[in-house]
Amino acid sequence: MIRAKIIQAGEQILGFECKGHAGYAEEGSDIICAAVSILTTTCANALESVAGVGANAKVDEGYMQVLIEKDQANHDTQVIFRTVLQGLRDLEEAYPEYLQLKEN
C-alpha cells in the first residue's frame, strides 16, 4: 500500500510525503504506482517550472517527499499542490486498498 501524507501549515499546503508500493500489479505494470509517480513528479517539476519555487525533494525507492518553505506558499504553489491533492483523493476513492491518504 502507498501511504501519502499532505503536509500543511494551517490552510497552506507545504508539501507531501509518499511511502511504499501499491501492490496492485507486478513492478512495471502497476497503474496505481504509476499514477502516484506521475502526480508527484509533475508536482515537483511544476513547482519549479510554473511557480518558480525550488522545492526540497527527497526521492528513494518507494519514497518521495516534496517540501517548500512557508514563505514560498503562494497562489501558484497552492494551485499545484491542490491539483495533486485532488488526484490523490480520486485515486484513494477508486483504489482504497492500494492508497491511503492522510490530510492534516
Side-chain angles (χ1 to χ4, degrees):
M1 174 178 282
I2 297 173
R3 287 179 169 72
K5 180 173 95 173
I6 303 301
I7 301 163
Q8 292 181 249
E11 294 296 312
Q12 294 183 318
I13 299 174
L14 300 180
F16 61 83
E17 180 180 64
C18 293
K19 298 179 190 178
H21 294 282
Y24 179 82
E26 291 180 31
E27 185 178 334
S29 299
D30 194 318
I31 62 170
I32 309 306
C33 280
V36 171
S37 292
I38 290 297
L39 281 169
T40 57
T41 300
T42 299
C43 176
N45 292 337
L47 287 169
E48 185 174 344
S49 67
V50 175
V53 171
N56 180 10
K58 295 179 185 174
V59 181
D60 202 352
E61 175 65 30
Y63 180 82
M64 183 174 201
Q65 180 186 66
V66 173
L67 292 171
I68 62 170
E69 298 294 326
K70 190 173 182 177
D71 65 346
Q72 295 175 310
N74 59 40
H75 177 267
D76 291 345
T77 63
Q78 295 309 289
V79 169
I80 292 165
F81 279 132
R82 292 190 188 288
T83 301
V84 171
L85 175 56
Q86 185 62 55
L88 292 172
R89 284 177 179 157
D90 293 345
L91 278 170
E92 181 188 39
E93 184 178 325
Y95 301 97
E97 61 275 18
Y98 301 104
L99 174 64
Q100 179 183 55
L101 176 62
K102 182 179 177 187
E103 300 178 51
N104 287 352

